[in-house]
């Protein structure tokens, strides 16, 4: 009303004509509105949309859609980070290290944990000095307003928790990730330069390694965060959100393919990097059939995982029964599932077993 | 390679959707921020931040996109209004612009002073009514204000009326102090 012509039509307008009291009130309100309108009056801002868009595009931050800004990844939510980061990091590790066939189609159907140290992770991250990573399909993480929105974005059905403990909120925040694809191309020249810059000897490159590619596909995935998450106040940093009580993630199993060299050669090469600990080498070598195993790297100090049976398949449970944090990860029919949160391990396993 | 070509087109169409959203909403986002800050340069800075935040976390095709942007513009600029950093920048900007004034200097000084009072009063209001006022004053409809604030359209009139009364009161209080 007052300054909204649509709100002052029909019966309202007729009533105002005849009722002195209402007209008086209306005039008072109207006076407030006009006075505020003049108080807030400012010269219009000159707007040049094209120039503004160019400015935005030239801002580096505008080109990043970072998965790391997920509330799940907040450092203080340690157990959740463990479970979720494990899935993501596992893909990277697996893709670089695991399978042994030429141009394999790596599709894991089981999971296992691999204890890693900070030194191992640092050594693995140095691999980016040995070639170029190109996203042929960028990972796009999007908040969704409902399960059906998330399903539409990810192109897969959202998991449903059928036995939610009464202590966990039924407020659910959905997220969806479209399938992402990255190609890593080894470059002998880059590797030489990186080694020279650090004064280290470059492990001998296998024949055909220069220009060999490794293609990794991740997702699509759907994430559900249970808990009284504050909606991200517009304009605020999403990392300020409160911690989730429970997170459920469903993702198509990652896949990896290589060209020019066998993935066994890539594995050997990775394991020859300075900085990789003997423990990691031993752990990787102990895996029976790496082409069908999803590796979950667990920091050594948190490696309190155990094998469990979830929905009839082998899974890995992390955490303990204190309720501080626990998670379960398993792979079934080409799909990776994770259930984690500030819950007891037994509860996590029960939720996992009843996930629909 | 077909896979690569298809994926590239997916990325491009998403970028196009974002550009369309930017083109459609940029002026309104700047308008809301300008209404709060009474400073067009700073309003443009806010608009840049708001769109970058949006792009990082949301899809340009999301139905809630315009409402999110309007709300973010109001909140981000109100936050600036309350921030100490703004006061300093504002003083510098005012000093720089002094030479460009076409208005009588004394008159301009009064106008600036009034605007400063009103903005200070706006900054003292609760976030929701302050945001509602800024959005409405910059030309958003009742329905758009309702969507941006997540309230029913029937509540917007009452919200605005209370906010207007509160702002007038704050302005009077600020002037008499």
């Amino acid at each position: 009303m007052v300054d909204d012509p649509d709100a002052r039509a029909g019966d309202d307008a007729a009533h105002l004509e005849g009722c002195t009291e209402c007209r008086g009130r209306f005039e008072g309100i109207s006076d407030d509105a006009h006075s505020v309108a003049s108080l807030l009056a400012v010269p219009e801002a000159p707007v040049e949309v094209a120039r503004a868009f160019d400015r935005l595009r030239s801002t580096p931050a505008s080109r990043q859609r970072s998965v790391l800004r997920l509330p799940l990844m907040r450092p203080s939510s340690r157990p959740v980070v463990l479970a979720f980061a494990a899935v993501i990091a596992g893909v990277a590790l697996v893709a670089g290290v695991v399978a042994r066939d030429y141009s394999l189609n790596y599709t894991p159907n089981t999971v296992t944990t691999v204890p890693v140290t900070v030194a191992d992770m640092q050594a693995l991250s140095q691999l980016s000095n040995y070639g170029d990573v190109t996203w042929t399909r960028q990972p796009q993480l999007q908040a969704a307003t409902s399960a059906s929105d998330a399903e539409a974005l990810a192109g897969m059905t959202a998991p449903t928790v059928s036995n939610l403990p009464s202590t966990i909120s039924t407020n659910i925040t959905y997220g969806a990730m479209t399938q992402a694809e990255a190609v890593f191309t080894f470059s002998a020249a880059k590797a030489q330069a990186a080694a020279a810059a650090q004064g280290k000897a470059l492990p001998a490159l296998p024949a055909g390694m220069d220009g060999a590619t490794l293609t990794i596909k991740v997702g699509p995935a759907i994430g559900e965060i249970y808990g009284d998450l504050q909606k991200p106040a517009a304009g605020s940093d999403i990392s300020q959100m409160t911690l989730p009580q429970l997170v459920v993630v469903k993702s198509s199993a990652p896949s990896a393919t290589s060209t020019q060299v066998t993935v066994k050669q890539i594995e050997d090469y990775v394991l020859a990097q300075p900085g990789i600990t003997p423990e990691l080498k031993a752990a990787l070598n102990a895996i029976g059939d790496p082409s069908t195993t999803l590796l979950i790297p667990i920091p050594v100090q948190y490696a309190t995982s155990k094998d469990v049976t979830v929905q009839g398949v082998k899974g890995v449970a992390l955490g303990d029964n204190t309720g501080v944090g626990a998670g379960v990860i398993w792979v079934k029919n080409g799909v990776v599932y994770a259930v984690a949160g500030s819950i007891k391990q037994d509860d996590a396993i029960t939720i996992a077993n009843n996930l629909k | 390679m077909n896979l690569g070509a298809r994926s590239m087109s997916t990325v491009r169409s998403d970028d196009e959707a974002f550009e369309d959203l930017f083109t459609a909403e940029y002026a309104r986002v700047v308008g809301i921020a300008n209404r709060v800050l009474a400073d067009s340069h700073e309003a443009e800075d806010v608009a840049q931040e708001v769109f970058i935040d949006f792009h990082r976390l949301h899809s340009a095709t999301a139905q809630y996109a315009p409402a999110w942007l309007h709300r973010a513009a109001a909140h981000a600029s109100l936050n600036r209004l309350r921030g100490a950093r703004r006061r300093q920048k504002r003083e510098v900007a005012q000093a720089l612009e002094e030479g460009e004034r076409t208005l009588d200097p004394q008159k301009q000084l009064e106008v600036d002073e009034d605007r400063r009072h009103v903005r200070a009063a706006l900054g003292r209001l609760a976030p929701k009514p302050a945001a509602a006022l800024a959005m409405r004053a910059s030309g958003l409809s009742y329905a758009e204000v309702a969507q941006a604030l997540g309230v029913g359209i029937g509540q917007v009139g009452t919200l605005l009326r209370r906010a207007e009364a509160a702002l007038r009161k704050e302005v009077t209080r600020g002037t008499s102090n």
Side-chain angles (χ1 to χ4, degrees), chain B residues 40-56:
Chain B
S40 60
H41 297 300
E42 212 174 346
E44 287 200 81
D45 290 347
V46 166
Q48 292 279 328
E49 286 169 17
V50 165
F51 276 101
I52 287 171
D53 271 358
F54 180 87
H55 185 54
R56 275 204 198 116

Side-chain angles (χ1 to χ4, degrees), chain A residues 1 3 32 62 69 136, chain B residues 7 45 55-56 136 142 168:
Chain A
M1 57 151 63
D3 53 350
D32 264 352
S62 71
R69 294 202 61 186
T136 39
Chain B
S7 64
D45 290 347
H55 185 54
R56 275 204 198 116
R136 181 62 184 150
Y142 271 36
R168 276 189 93 173

Side-chain angles (χ1 to χ4, degrees), chain A residues 10-31:
Chain A
D11 293 348
D12 286 349
H15 177 77
L16 277 176
E17 285 302 312
C19 175
T20 323
E21 191 190 333
C22 284
R23 200 167 58 237
R25 234 173 45 214
F26 177 79
E27 278 163 6
I29 290 165
S30 186
D31 186 38

Side-chain angles (χ1 to χ4, degrees), chain A residues 137-316:
Chain A
R137 234 176 306 173
Q138 295 263 358
Q140 294 186 353
L141 192 77
Q142 298 173 355
T145 49
S146 67
S148 55
D149 272 6
E151 287 177 343
L153 287 164
M156 69 198 311
T157 56
T160 311
V161 173
S162 57
N163 62 328
L164 195 68
S166 58
T167 49
I168 293 177
S169 163
T170 51
N171 282 352
I172 311 176
T173 308
Y174 294 91
M177 193 186 85
T178 52
Q179 190 183 53
E181 183 183 88
V183 178
F184 183 77
T185 309
F186 285 89
S187 156
K190 266 191 104 169
Q192 295 288 3
Q198 293 181 13
K200 286 180 184 164
L202 179 72
L205 280 165
M209 193 75 164
D210 189 26
T213 64
L214 191 64
T215 302
I216 303 156
K217 287 184 204 168
V218 194
I222 288 184
E224 297 173 358
I225 304 167
Y226 290 72
D228 295 315
L229 272 186
Q230 292 161 2
K231 260 189 149 179
S236 74
D237 187 340
I238 196 165
S239 67
Q240 299 304 311
M241 292 164 93
T242 50
L243 291 183
Q245 290 178 294
L246 174 68
V247 176
V248 177
V249 176
K250 174 183 176 184
S251 169
S252 285
S255 69
T257 52
S258 73
T259 62
Q260 288 189 207
V261 290
T262 67
V263 185
K264 169 72 172 130
Q265 285 175 301
I266 298 174
E267 175 191 335
D268 289 346
Y269 189 69
V270 169
L271 292 181
Q273 296 307 309
I276 297 281
T277 56
E279 289 78 12
L280 178 60
K281 285 182 199 177
L284 290 173
N285 284 328
I287 294 163
D289 184 358
S291 67
T292 57
T293 305
L294 177 68
L295 298 184
I296 312 293
I298 302 293
V300 171
Q301 63 270 38
Y302 301 138
T304 52
S305 65
K306 65 171 187 183
D307 289 350
V308 288
T309 300
V310 182
Q311 308 224 355
V313 299
K314 185 194 151 210
V316 174

